[in-house]
Amino acid sequence: MGDVSDPLGCPTDNGQIGIVDPDCRLIGLHLYYGLFKVILFDNKGLLMEAFDIRLEELPVLDIKFLYGCVKPTIVVLYQDNSDARHVKTYEIALKDKDFVEGPWSQNNLDNGAGLLIPVLAPLGGVIIIGEETIVYCNGNSAFKALPIKQSIIRAYGRVDPDGPRYLLGDNTGTLHLLVLTQEEERVTGLKIEHLGETSIASSISYLHNGVVYVGSRFGDSQLVKLNLLPDATGSFVEVLERYANLGPIVDFCVVDLDRQGQGQVVTCSGAFKDGSIRVIRNGIGINEQASVELQGISGLWSLKSSFSDPYDMYLVVSFISETRFMAMNIEGVLEETEIEGFDAQTQTLFCQNGISDLLIQITANSVRLVSCTSRELVDQWNAPEGFSVNVASANATQVLLAIGGGHVIYLEIRDAKLVEVKHAQLEHDVSCVDLNPVGENPQYSSLAAIGLWTDISVSIYSLPDLKLIRKENLGGETVPRSVLLCTLERVSYLLCALGDGHLFSFLLNASTGELTDRKKVSLGTQPITLRTFSSKGTAHVFASSDRLTVIYSSSKKLLYSNVNLKGVNHMCPFNTASFPDSLAIAKQSEFSIGTMGYIQNQKLRTIPLNEQPKRICHQEQSSTLAVCTSKYLDSGEQSEAHFIRLLDHQTFEFLFTHPLDQYECGCSMISCSFSDDNKFYYCVGTSYILPDEYEPAKGRILVFAVEDGRLQLIVEKETKGAVYSLNAFNGKLLAAINQKVQLYKWMTREDGLHELQSECSYHGHILALYTQTRGNFIVVGDLMKSISLLVYKHEESAMEELARDYNPNWMTAVEMIDDDIYIGAENSYNLFTVRKNSDAATDEERGRLQVVGEYHLGEFVNRFCHGSLVMHLPDSEMGQIPTVIFSTINGVIGIIASLPHDQYVFLEKLQATLVKFIKGVGSLSHEQWRSFYNGKKTLDAHNFLDGDLIESFLDLNRGKMEEVAEAMSVQVEELLQRVEELTRLHETMPRHVHKE
């Protein structure tokens, strides 16, 4: 490991180039203008000391090592002062640590030449990819050129390990096959063939047998198959698999489309033809396959036709005064049937498959055993006179009943008979019971869970003797309504749900019945019903309430995910041959069958646009989204067209398109209302990008109303520059236009029409690119002059600067965390926070925004936005912590959480401890990586914590956890609980936290 940075070097504009000699003698790096760094290998393959060689050619477009050369030889593609492009070769003299003039060179190539492909020996030489010509040359008088349709090719992959075929990917997503025709050991010509369309390729890797991996920075990466024969469209390319890529994200908004109290991020993702809208949410999607109106359902259970059958056949649907039975016929149709041995004239409390191919039905009056084959009654237990069954639970061999007055009866199934084993009376009435097996025997439970009414408790009892093992008083005034013993990821739990939507969870010792690690979360406001189910072979738990939740385990910790269904009263698994891994769902007036995808915390939906989205905005009042897009055209004088498109916010169907003028593009967009006008409008800021202008001198502010699914232009206001940012500001409109911040008020003219009238402005920026507002305060992110704070004075109708950060940060995004703390991202991939010095003693100090936090993120942030993608758990310590979501050019979505001081201090100590136990890739220094660096200064990260590092504690083995806990002087369980609480802020999202 070594450091190849050079504080005096000037980084190349064309990016870093790293290459390896084909004979593994050295590594070559082109990182800074005029320098080529060489790192040698010794005879054991270990890296030796590096040295620099002066490279005269500037700027360098590409460098590659040549094959078949005795000495390491590079070929350099560069551009001279007259913009002509040439290639030149150099041998690397290792002893002299210098270049020696190479065997050949080639001048005056295609002006668009930008990629070199070295050709394997014995042919040798290089292929030079231009925008209109492909050239092969090797210095031995071999020069072959092939004209091509104008395109930009930046990705290639060699097909044969030793052959002359290459796959090329261009900027339109077209995949080509380039073939070098040869005779003996010389190239006689070039041929190129169009294969088909893929994502716009950034890398191409030929794997085997016609299968190719296409990596893309602009859209989803793909695994494709190259077929020998074309399909109906003439394409030889068949897409086998897609790998989601959110990048580049240029804008996003946080919305609650399902109105379930959980945010969703809607992004402008991708570029060029691979542009799309992505909807990302933490939660689980259920797709309803069939539904029918059916009211009053009080319970659902699925049954198999035999105990060993892998599929369910029957569906038991209970109502207040009757029970209906449905069965799946041989045609895969669900139809009503009869199970003669069951009681259909009363409400069913519980159903279960039993051993010996029996079916169990529990009603208020009896427990019935019915034969699976004959459907006839085999045995029956009747409730004692004067008593009725209130709550019940069963498994394949056991039945547990509560019959009122605190009486509990335990039955076992022996030789197809119901045998009463134990009758006990508890101190209070029973509200819920469960005996789902959690031990080694999947058909028998040695433990039972019982919830009581009066003292509001949950207890573990041993079976068959019904002796109390452990009692937990739950506190409060709300009765437990559902209990469940379950095993998730080989960890046993007791779950206890209350009537007010709260859920208690306990770690359960399946051998002793002991309960530990008590936790409480809020999943809704209505009573919760718990039910186990299996998806993709893994056990999970449904919590049915006013907000349906799936409880599952990941890395041995419980996670909670919302489901995209509302008003679900009952649910059960229904796994049939026709509907595998399906669910039966009962709502207030509807019964349906649905399917669930993989249980995962992050659900992604893609809406392809085939053009590039640049700005997005949500308007809840009109149930729409507005998107600014651009599209490249193949013909005509105008090469790019820009639009404002209106979409339905649920279906994402296009409702209306408003084309912008030639050379006009959308720069900013908000939804807002104005003073004395309750209507909500879309406001769009634009600029005219003229070919001969260095900086936009003209733009517009367009105000649209949504009427009958169409954008109706209400007001058009011309501006003297690009409208880079718009904000709603106290019933007015705040705009950042080139170097000034302008405030407009909404006026109604005598003819009843509206107009935007300039009220005041503030000059003093180089380019005011980003603005955020809070009350009368305005935070401005400048192109070069970091963050400044303005205040609007209503009495004077004027804006003035209160304070600024005097560091020369090139801003990419800003946000106001609260009234006094502002966060910014700059173009060296750093985050920093500044604070308003309202209480400072002097005017000079009050006029300076104090930098209070700095941190190297390693990502180029395009946007901040307040919001969260996870359920807020009020009883969690982290439940009320404010979070800001950010998005980056690489497709990362992460959060920044503002922690209370004591929490921050604890986690800061934990982070400092963890770096001693957890080493990054290559054992690089975590402290060095997270240090703020912008090319001019380097500062240690402060007042920021690395949430990813802290949560990696959960991935340590138990021994390492104990070492960390000992170094922290806390118990392992406490440390686990506090780190797990931190995960509730995001669940699956990347995260970074800073001090409040």
Side-chain angles (χ1 to χ4, degrees):
M1 184 182 74
D3 188 352
V4 296
S5 64
D6 185 346
L8 300 179
C10 179
T12 61
D13 289 337
N14 294 318
Q16 300 172 350
I17 299 174
I19 52 177
V20 180
D21 170 48
D23 296 320
C24 294
R25 292 167 287 191
L26 56 90
I27 296 173
L29 301 173
H30 182 57
L31 310 175
Y32 302 100
Y33 276 110
L35 293 177
F36 184 79
K37 185 176 290 292
V38 175
I39 307 174
L40 297 176
F41 289 107
D42 64 14
N43 54 11
K44 296 181 181 179
L46 300 177
L47 297 180
M48 300 171 63
E49 187 176 351
F51 59 87
D52 288 325
I53 302 176
R54 178 64 58 184
L55 187 63
E56 295 180 358
E57 286 71 30
L58 300 173
V60 171
L61 304 173
D62 198 8
I63 303 179
K64 292 291 194 300
F65 277 107
L66 291 176
Y67 288 93
C69 298
V70 177
K71 296 181 179 179
T73 304
I74 61 170
V75 55
V76 181
L77 173 62
Y78 66 97
Q79 182 173 299
D80 64 19
N81 293 331
S82 59
D83 293 338
R85 301 190 179 189
H86 322 279
V87 292
K88 196 172 185 178
T89 57
Y90 288 106
E91 290 182 355
I92 300 175
L94 300 179
K95 289 185 178 180
D96 298 332
K97 297 182 179 180
D98 203 354
F99 284 139
V100 175
E101 197 77 18
W104 54 270
S105 63
Q106 185 68 50
N107 295 327
N108 299 318
L109 300 166
D110 182 338
N111 284 337
L115 177 65
L116 300 175
I117 304 176
V119 179
L120 295 170
L123 294 177
V126 67
I127 301 169
I128 305 163
I129 307 294
E131 292 183 3
E132 297 180 339
T133 310
I134 297 176
V135 169
Y136 169 80
C137 59
N138 66 2
N140 297 326
S141 70
F143 183 92
K144 304 295 179 182
L146 174 69
I148 59 172
K149 181 182 177 182
Q150 185 172 11
S151 61
I152 300 173
I153 297 172
R154 289 292 181 267
Y156 77 95
R158 190 169 62 238
V159 174
D160 310 295
D162 55 356
R165 295 186 299 169
Y166 299 86
L167 293 171
L168 307 178
D170 67 19
N171 62 320
T172 67
T174 303
L175 188 66
H176 309 272
L177 179 66
L178 176 67
V179 181
L180 301 183
T181 59
Q182 57 182 333
E183 291 181 2
E184 298 178 351
E185 294 185 359
R186 66 185 186 89
V187 174
T188 58
L190 302 171
K191 292 195 302 184
I192 193 166
E193 183 176 354
H194 165 83
L195 297 180
E197 186 174 305
T198 66
S199 296
I200 299 173
S202 301
S203 67
I204 299 174
S205 299
Y206 185 88
L207 302 178
H208 181 66
N209 200 28
V211 178
V212 181
Y213 178 77
V214 179
S216 177
R217 291 186 293 112
F218 304 113
D220 290 344
S221 296
Q222 296 175 328
L223 191 69
V224 302
K225 179 81 163 50
L226 302 181
N227 296 317
L228 296 176
L229 299 174
D231 60 17
T233 64
S235 174
F236 293 87
V237 176
E238 175 189 354
V239 178
L240 302 178
E241 194 73 58
R242 303 181 73 96
Y243 306 95
N245 167 31
L246 299 181
I249 302 175
V250 293
D251 194 17
F252 74 92
C253 58
V254 180
V255 301
D256 184 7
L257 298 182
D258 294 328
R259 297 190 178 184
Q260 290 185 316
Q262 180 172 349
Q264 302 172 58
V265 168
V266 185
T267 68
C268 293
S269 291
F272 310 111
K273 78 168 187 70
D274 292 333
S276 64
I277 292 173
R278 306 289 178 111
V279 185
I280 306 106
R281 57 166 288 171
N282 277 336
I284 297 166
I286 294 181
N287 299 313
E288 295 186 7
Q289 305 293 318
S291 63
V292 63
E293 287 190 15
L294 200 59
Q295 295 188 355
I297 296 176
S298 62
L300 284 174
W301 298 269
S302 56
L303 298 173
K304 297 177 172 59
S305 61
S306 67
F307 189 74
S308 59
D309 195 331
Y311 292 113
D312 297 319
M313 181 176 181
Y314 302 109
L315 201 56
V316 180
V317 185
S318 175
F319 300 86
I320 294 298
S321 58
E322 65 171 331
T323 300
R324 296 183 188 176
F325 311 101
M326 299 182 184
M328 189 67 69
N329 63 23
I330 58 175
E331 298 174 350
V333 177
L334 196 64
E335 58 184 11
E336 197 158 348
T337 186
E338 289 186 9
I339 301 179
E340 291 79 1
F342 275 4
D343 185 354
Q345 306 305 314
T346 188
Q347 178 183 359
T348 296
L349 301 178
F350 201 91
C351 269
Q352 172 75 35
N353 276 90
I355 59 171
S356 304
D357 285 344
L358 296 172
L359 304 176
I360 306 168
Q361 183 196 26
I362 304 174
T363 68
N365 305 316
S366 65
V367 180
R368 290 169 172 254
L369 291 184
V370 174
S371 169
C372 286
T373 52
S374 67
R375 301 191 189 184
E376 294 179 352
L377 183 66
V378 174
D379 193 28
Q380 179 173 340
W381 175 94
N382 293 312
E385 187 174 348
F387 290 89
S388 62
V389 178
N390 298 325
V391 291
S393 179
N395 57 42
T397 60
Q398 302 163 285
V399 178
L400 188 62
L401 310 169
I403 59 173
H407 291 277
V408 177
I409 297 177
Y410 169 63
L411 312 174
E412 288 188 0
I413 302 172
R414 301 175 184 172
D415 300 325
K417 296 289 185 182
L418 285 165
V419 178
E420 185 172 319
V421 177
K422 186 69 176 179
H423 183 160
Q425 184 171 10
L426 307 185
E427 52 188 328
H428 303 292
D429 272 350
V430 175
S431 62
C432 49
V433 298
D434 184 67
L435 42 65
N436 186 45
V438 290
E440 295 182 0
N441 189 342
Q443 299 171 15
Y444 183 89
S445 177
S446 60
L447 301 174
I450 299 178
L452 299 182
W453 279 91
T454 306
D455 66 352
I456 307 182
S457 66
V458 61
S459 303
I460 298 293
Y461 288 82
S462 62
L463 295 175
D465 53 10
L466 273 178
K467 287 187 177 180
L468 178 65
I469 296 176
R470 176 69 179 266
K471 181 175 181 178
E472 284 279 345
N473 289 310
L474 303 177
E477 300 178 354
T478 309
V479 177
R481 299 294 295 271
S482 182
V483 288
L484 181 68
L485 299 165
C486 62
T487 301
L488 306 176
E489 281 194 317
R490 298 184 180 180
V491 178
S492 296
Y493 298 92
L494 168 66
L495 303 179
C496 180
L498 306 186
D500 61 358
H502 283 84
L503 176 80
F504 284 91
S505 66
F506 303 87
L507 282 177
L508 170 69
N509 187 318
S511 301
T512 66
E514 287 299 308
L515 299 174
T516 56
D517 196 26
R518 168 172 166 161
K519 294 179 181 177
K520 182 183 180 184
V521 298
S522 175
L523 301 183
T525 60
Q526 300 300 314
I528 297 174
T529 302
L530 300 171
R531 178 76 65 88
T532 58
F533 74 103
S534 180
S535 177
K536 316 300 181 186
T538 305
H540 310 291
V541 176
F542 272 123
S544 299
S545 180
D546 53 331
R547 289 193 307 188
L548 185 62
T549 304
V550 167
I551 305 168
Y552 66 105
S553 178
S554 178
S555 301
K556 303 294 179 72
K557 62 182 179 183
L558 291 183
L559 297 176
Y560 306 86
S561 277
N562 275 358
V563 180
N564 65 339
L565 289 181
K566 290 180 285 188
V568 175
N569 297 325
H570 301 279
M571 181 178 283
C572 75
F574 190 51
N575 179 32
T576 69
S578 301
F579 298 97
D581 263 348
S582 293
L583 307 163
I585 303 162
K587 298 182 182 180
Q588 187 69 32
S589 58
E590 182 184 73
F591 168 76
S592 62
I593 302 293
T595 58
M596 178 182 293
Y598 286 97
I599 302 296
Q600 57 183 0
N601 248 26
Q602 203 172 87
K603 183 188 174 192
L604 175 65
R605 179 181 178 186
T606 302
I607 299 92
L609 296 178
N610 297 316
E611 57 191 39
Q612 183 166 345
K614 294 187 174 180
R615 293 291 179 266
I616 190 165
C617 183
H618 178 238
Q619 190 175 88
E620 184 179 356
Q621 294 75 13
S622 63
S623 301
T624 60
L625 287 158
V627 186
C628 291
T629 69
S630 65
K631 187 173 187 176
Y632 284 90
L633 305 176
D634 293 331
S635 59
E637 295 181 3
Q638 184 182 6
S639 61
E640 191 176 8
H642 296 262
F643 310 93
I644 302 168
R645 301 196 185 275
L646 189 69
L647 293 79
D648 183 278
H649 76 171
Q650 289 285 0
T651 65
F652 292 92
E653 294 180 0
F654 284 100
L655 303 176
F656 185 76
T657 296
H658 178 88
L660 295 176
D661 293 345
Q662 186 176 8
Y663 300 120
E664 185 184 23
C665 68
C667 297
S668 54
M669 179 163 50
I670 63 165
S671 170
C672 68
S673 62
F674 296 103
S675 297
D676 303 322
D677 188 346
N678 294 326
K679 289 188 67 175
F680 275 79
Y681 300 94
Y682 280 116
C683 299
V684 181
T686 75
S687 68
Y688 286 85
I689 311 297
L690 302 178
D692 56 346
E693 281 187 352
Y694 177 73
E695 182 179 314
K698 180 184 175 184
R700 289 193 297 171
I701 297 175
L702 306 174
V703 181
F704 295 95
V706 178
E707 298 177 0
D708 299 325
R710 298 171 61 87
L711 287 173
Q712 185 70 37
L713 183 60
I714 303 298
V715 169
E716 173 187 350
K717 180 74 173 181
E718 287 196 6
T719 62
K720 295 181 179 180
V723 186
Y724 291 115
S725 180
L726 289 172
N727 278 95
F729 187 74
N730 299 331
K732 302 173 185 179
L733 185 65
L734 185 76
I737 304 168
N738 281 13
Q739 75 278 4
K740 70 176 179 178
V741 178
Q742 180 81 46
L743 184 63
Y744 295 95
K745 53 187 176 182
W746 188 246
M747 303 295 292
T748 303
R749 301 190 318 211
E750 293 181 358
D751 58 5
L753 300 178
H754 297 286
E755 66 177 1
L756 286 172
Q757 190 176 102
S758 176
E759 180 177 340
C760 61
S761 63
Y762 176 81
H763 298 255
H765 300 283
I766 294 173
L767 276 184
L769 296 179
Y770 316 100
T771 58
Q772 295 293 338
T773 64
R774 196 179 178 102
N776 287 328
F777 294 104
I778 304 160
V779 164
V780 182
D782 190 86
L783 173 68
M784 298 169 60
K785 293 170 63 176
S786 195
I787 295 176
S788 58
L789 176 66
L790 309 181
V791 63
Y792 169 71
K793 296 189 173 181
H794 180 75
E795 299 81 5
E796 304 170 18
S797 292
M799 287 182 284
E800 67 177 40
E801 183 178 284
L802 275 187
R804 68 164 53 248
D805 173 26
Y806 286 91
N807 292 297
N809 293 314
W810 292 60
M811 302 304 297
T812 65
V814 296
E815 183 58 86
M816 305 179 76
I817 291 180
D818 56 33
D819 288 340
D820 298 322
I821 303 291
Y822 320 129
I823 188 167
E826 50 87 72
N827 70 340
S828 292
Y829 315 129
N830 301 299
L831 301 178
F832 66 98
T833 51
V834 294
R835 181 173 60 202
K836 181 173 62 174
N837 277 327
S838 302
D839 301 328
T842 67
D843 290 341
E844 181 182 353
E845 290 175 332
R846 285 192 292 271
R848 184 182 297 274
L849 291 175
Q850 179 186 357
V851 178
V852 292
E854 291 173 305
Y855 181 82
H856 181 72
L857 180 66
E859 294 278 346
F860 190 104
V861 175
N862 272 328
R863 182 88 158 87
F864 292 114
C865 186
H866 286 275
S868 172
L869 282 184
V870 298
M871 294 170 57
H872 282 292
L873 307 176
D875 299 284
S876 164
E877 186 178 345
M878 297 289 178
Q880 302 304 316
I881 288 178
T883 56
V884 171
I885 300 176
F886 65 83
S887 66
T888 78
I889 198 170
N890 289 326
V892 170
I893 294 177
I895 68 166
I896 299 168
S898 301
L899 298 180
H901 178 74
D902 57 343
Q903 183 79 357
Y904 179 88
V905 171
F906 177 84
L907 293 175
E908 186 178 39
K909 183 180 178 182
L910 176 57
Q911 177 177 275
T913 305
L914 284 173
V915 295
K916 301 173 185 176
F917 294 89
I918 299 173
K919 301 300 179 184
V921 176
S923 296
L924 296 172
S925 166
H926 178 268
E927 182 182 33
Q928 183 179 353
W929 166 245
R930 291 304 184 192
S931 295
F932 181 99
Y933 175 73
N934 63 4
K936 296 182 178 64
K937 65 178 181 179
T938 302
L939 297 168
D940 289 343
H942 59 105
N943 284 340
F944 275 90
L945 298 177
D946 188 338
D948 292 290
L949 173 64
I950 291 171
E951 292 182 19
S952 61
F953 170 78
L954 301 174
D955 300 325
L956 297 177
N957 59 44
R958 184 72 182 188
K960 286 287 186 184
M961 285 184 178
E962 289 174 352
E963 290 182 47
V964 174
E966 184 179 351
M968 290 282 294
S969 300
V970 297
Q971 297 294 320
V972 173
E973 285 71 22
E974 180 188 348
L975 204 51
L976 272 169
Q977 183 173 354
R978 296 190 73 164
V979 176
E980 285 178 358
E981 281 293 316
L982 187 64
T983 68
R984 305 287 188 221
L985 290 171
H986 63 86
E987 297 188 353
T988 59
M989 295 171 61
R991 58 275 176 189
H992 300 273
V993 291
H994 82 88
K995 182 179 179 182
E996 189 175 47

